[in-house]
Amino acid sequence: MSTVAPLAGVEPERLELGEMLLRATRLTPEQLDAAQRRQSETGARLLDVLIEDGAITEEEALDALGRQLAISVRRELGPADVDEELIARVPIGFAKTHRLLPLRRDAAGVLHVAIADPFETSPLDDLRLLFDGAEIEEELASERTILATINQVYDRGAAGSAAELASDAVTDLEALAQELSSQEPQDLLEASDEAPIIRLVNSLLQQAVKERASDVHLEPFEREIRVRFRIDDLLYEPMHPLPRAIQSSIASRIKIMGGLNIAEKRLPQDGRIRLKIAGRDYDVRLSTVPIAHGERIVMRLLPRTTEMLDLEKLGFNEQQLQVWEKLIARPNGIVLVTGPTGSGKTTTLYGALSRINTADRNIITIEDPVEIQLPGTGQIEVNPKIGLTFASGLRSVLRQDPNVILVGEIRDVETAEIAIQASLTGHLVFSTLHTIDAPSAITRLVDMGVEPYLVASSLVAVLAQRLIRVLCPQCKEPFEPTVEQLAEIGIRPRGAAVRVFRPSGCERCNHTGYRGRLGIFELMLIDDDIRAMVTQNVDAKTIKRKAMDKGMNSLRADGARKVLAGITSIAEVLRATEDEGGVAQI
């Protein structure tokens, strides 16, 4: 469903845009002056400069434009708002280039068009010609919303779903697939019949992006290929299995895209694909593994955008964010982020690096592999085959005069000790460990063989985290949980009944009740008392009790706060966190 802020009949306010923004938003005169100076230097739109600087949000900009120009503002836009007969007359390239989309024709014959830039009038003149001189009513929407809807509606109208393309491919390539089983797959590169396979793989990736999948799994079995998408940490089958006959062709096509050896089917391979899907750039991490009936392929989709690195959007509450920002601004010490695979550790660390990535800091990372591209930093990918390990790479990095070092993971005592020495000689070091909570990171380092006094002297904080699913705002339903249900996540109600939310399910969230994920965090600061306990080699449970006495929130307690705020459900917090024996009370 769409929501439109109607401004029909409202006269445009006769104010300069800057003055209107000062009145209607949190913009300050100083920010406006700085943006106007930069606008005169670059020639960019004032609104674009202000949004890029973070002075105002895109929503605030739309509101200001709508009020100034007396144009309705659309908060949301989806395929249901678009008449397919209208878009059939507008080329997708034209719509994307000019960031516009015809929506509907009303009873009076007026053509309603969603636009991102109301000052770009020539495309509207072209559109008017396309529709035989029809009168046009503009409706403002964000550029991101319009592009996303363009990709959805044109994809909806395009011929051939992934399943239909698979059917075409198996018909067209039956002979070729049989030939590939006994000959070198390079023939596929020269075959004129490869188009259906290319379209099939592209369709799979487009569908994965449209459904917000983080991973695409292709799993060959004796008679079929199962396709699964990971969405919000759970795997789904978005379509019927694909025919087994095209498995070799699909694998070869994906390997070509990732720069892998298509002749090698006996060994695992890793690669990377750079793609533009639905108007956004993606890094796709590719992994192939030989199994009984072919090669199992997993593709991880990572959007190349700074939006995902915004600390405010990762799930930190205000207090946690203030402490975290002080930590990442330190000149030295070690800051660890812990959690299982897929808990968002890398995203959190890159959010920190993005915040402190300024011209006066030299930031170098060592990772396996480099998952997120961050301009302005030196990113090294380890390669054990040629002797480039975390430890050897870290030694070399120290000769590059860094201020900040990110070590993808501390896996052995050698890497740990070099990282500690780097922190003690004036470097800020970020790294990750696989532990269930923050205090366990200390005992993990000691178990590796690092001396407790070295851990105590270098470690400044440990952040443990998990990712929890967020309730779908469209369909979440309120309910009053029992005292026992609240007690499971450490909530002890006082007096009035507590109202929280639970999942329901709708089309927007694929009937799961959840849409998107956020982090829950356990941030342990290493003060003198904790440092003394580390030196005495005290166990992790005792350290955790001490840290919580000093105000640390456990993972479950942070999750419980998000339950009370209506962000997630009790069941989701229980799924994502360990039983803490009642210590999560809030």
Side-chain angles (χ1 to χ4, degrees):
M1 294 292 293
S2 65
T3 56
V4 180
L7 293 171
V10 177
E11 287 296 320
E13 294 192 27
R14 302 304 179 188
L15 294 172
E16 290 292 331
L17 181 58
E19 185 180 349
M20 179 172 290
L21 290 172
L22 288 174
R23 290 188 181 187
T25 71
R26 54 194 168 84
L27 181 69
T28 65
E30 293 76 18
Q31 289 173 321
L32 178 60
D33 290 342
Q36 287 174 334
R37 286 195 299 272
R38 196 149 77 85
Q39 179 197 21
S40 63
E41 295 170 0
T42 63
R45 287 197 315 162
L46 178 62
L47 284 176
D48 292 338
V49 174
L50 289 168
I51 293 170
E52 186 179 337
D53 290 344
I56 60 173
T57 64
E58 197 170 34
E59 290 74 17
E60 290 171 333
L62 284 174
D63 285 339
L65 274 177
R67 188 161 295 280
Q68 186 185 43
L69 303 174
I71 300 176
S72 299
V73 177
R74 276 193 173 266
R75 303 292 183 201
E76 294 181 6
L77 189 63
D81 303 306
V82 182
D83 185 340
E84 286 189 27
E85 291 184 7
L86 297 180
I87 65 166
R89 300 172 65 175
V90 180
I92 186 172
F94 178 84
K96 280 191 171 184
T97 299
H98 300 294
R99 308 300 196 256
L100 57 79
L101 186 64
L103 302 178
R104 68 187 188 282
R105 244 179 171 156
D106 60 25
V110 176
L111 181 66
H112 292 256
V113 180
I115 58 170
D117 186 352
F119 301 110
E120 192 177 358
T121 58
S122 58
L124 294 177
D125 294 335
D126 296 335
L127 202 63
R128 194 174 286 108
L129 290 175
L130 277 175
F131 288 93
D132 307 318
E135 182 184 346
I136 290 180
E137 179 79 20
E138 301 165 57
E139 297 182 10
L140 271 179
S142 71
E143 180 177 309
R144 186 186 317 152
T145 300
I146 290 176
L147 284 175
T149 308
I150 286 173
N151 283 290
Q152 287 178 309
V153 297
Y154 279 90
D155 179 65
R156 178 183 66 182
S161 65
E164 291 167 344
L165 289 169
S167 178
D168 292 344
V170 75
T171 302
D172 294 345
L173 294 175
E174 199 167 37
L176 179 60
Q178 188 171 0
E179 184 182 347
L180 285 171
S181 64
S182 59
Q183 295 186 7
E184 288 297 319
Q186 282 90 336
D187 291 346
L188 181 61
L189 296 174
E190 302 170 1
S192 59
D193 297 327
E194 68 178 355
I197 287 293
I198 293 174
R199 290 190 294 123
L200 170 59
V201 173
N202 291 346
S203 177
L204 283 172
L205 291 170
Q206 287 175 353
Q207 187 171 347
V209 168
K210 187 166 68 175
E211 297 189 19
R212 302 179 301 105
S214 60
D215 299 83
V216 178
H217 293 242
L218 297 173
E219 305 161 359
F221 294 96
E222 186 176 2
R223 292 186 174 85
E224 62 189 25
I225 306 169
R226 182 168 66 171
V227 179
R228 294 195 290 175
F229 292 169
R230 187 176 294 280
I231 304 172
D232 295 337
D233 201 34
L234 297 181
L235 285 168
Y236 299 90
E237 289 191 57
M239 63 186 71
H240 294 297
L242 303 179
R244 174 71 174 80
I246 60 172
Q247 189 276 327
S248 184
S249 300
I250 290 177
S252 295
R253 171 59 190 165
I254 293 174
K255 283 182 176 182
I256 289 167
M257 295 172 70
L260 303 184
N261 181 1
I262 60 176
E264 180 56 76
K265 298 181 179 181
R266 302 163 300 169
L267 295 174
Q269 296 187 69
D270 294 312
R272 187 185 297 275
I273 305 170
R274 290 281 302 275
L275 292 175
K276 177 165 253 177
I277 308 173
R280 300 178 74 184
D281 290 320
Y282 283 82
D283 270 331
V284 182
R285 279 178 51 192
L286 170 62
S287 172
T288 71
V289 174
I291 59 175
H293 299 288
E295 290 178 282
R296 194 179 192 277
I297 297 172
V298 176
M299 293 178 283
R300 170 158 291 185
L301 280 64
L302 299 164
R304 292 168 56 86
T305 172
T306 56
E307 180 186 351
M308 65 179 290
L309 304 180
D310 189 343
L311 289 175
E312 282 82 359
K313 296 180 180 178
L314 295 181
F316 286 104
N317 63 41
E318 189 174 344
Q319 180 185 5
Q320 290 169 334
L321 187 58
Q322 288 176 354
V323 176
W324 184 245
E325 288 188 325
K326 288 179 182 178
L327 286 170
I328 64 178
R330 287 177 55 95
N332 55 42
I334 294 183
V335 177
L336 293 178
V337 179
T338 76
T341 300
S343 59
K345 301 186 296 295
T346 300
T347 301
T348 298
L349 285 176
Y350 265 94
L353 292 185
S354 178
R355 186 64 63 93
I356 62 175
N357 184 20
T358 56
D360 60 343
R361 281 191 177 95
N362 182 18
I363 301 176
I364 301 180
T365 75
I366 311 167
E367 304 169 75
D368 181 21
V370 174
E371 293 190 20
I372 300 171
Q373 303 288 334
L374 185 63
T377 62
Q379 297 176 278
I380 302 169
E381 189 162 309
V382 301
N383 189 345
K385 294 178 182 177
I386 60 172
L388 179 55
T389 62
F390 280 115
S392 63
L394 189 50
R395 286 195 191 91
S396 300
V397 162
L398 292 174
R399 293 191 283 271
Q400 291 283 313
D401 187 31
N403 299 103
V404 181
I405 302 169
L406 168 63
V407 182
E409 183 182 349
I410 294 179
R411 296 178 179 173
D412 52 55
V413 64
E414 186 180 13
T415 305
E417 288 179 342
I418 298 171
I420 286 171
Q421 293 302 326
S423 71
L424 294 175
T425 53
H427 304 88
L428 179 61
V429 180
F430 294 108
S431 192
T432 69
L433 277 177
H434 289 258
T435 62
I436 61 171
D437 59 11
S440 298
I442 294 171
T443 53
R444 176 80 179 99
L445 289 172
V446 174
D447 289 343
M448 279 184 185
V450 181
E451 293 293 337
Y453 75 90
L454 287 176
V455 177
S457 59
S458 60
L459 196 60
V460 295
V462 183
L463 178 74
Q465 71 176 71
R466 298 288 190 280
L467 289 177
I468 56 169
R469 293 180 293 168
V470 176
L471 287 166
C472 174
Q474 297 289 114
C475 65
K476 67 180 181 180
E477 57 183 28
F479 82 108
E480 292 184 7
T482 65
V483 173
E484 291 76 15
Q485 286 175 312
L486 292 173
E488 283 191 281
I489 57 172
I491 297 176
R492 300 289 185 265
R494 300 172 185 171
V498 176
R499 192 184 78 156
V500 297
F501 291 85
R502 62 187 173 193
S504 175
C506 64
E507 288 187 6
R508 183 174 173 82
C509 61
N510 291 330
H511 300 284
T512 64
Y514 298 94
R515 183 174 175 85
R517 291 190 292 172
L518 275 182
I520 54 174
F521 303 97
E522 176 179 287
L523 181 55
M524 183 177 74
L525 301 178
I526 311 299
D527 60 11
D528 290 340
D529 291 337
I530 301 291
R531 203 165 277 118
M533 297 176 77
V534 175
T535 306
Q536 296 164 17
N537 209 7
V538 174
D539 64 275
K541 285 187 177 180
T542 306
I543 293 174
K544 183 164 189 170
R545 281 195 294 269
K546 185 68 172 178
M548 294 187 72
D549 289 342
K550 289 176 167 288
M552 181 186 81
N553 286 321
S554 68
L555 286 165
R556 184 162 287 187
D558 194 31
R561 284 179 168 80
K562 288 179 170 64
V563 169
L564 293 176
I567 295 171
T568 191
S569 67
I570 292 175
E572 181 64 12
V573 171
L574 292 174
R575 183 188 73 85
T577 60
E578 301 285 332
D579 184 2
E580 296 164 331
V583 295
Q585 295 180 24
I586 64 171

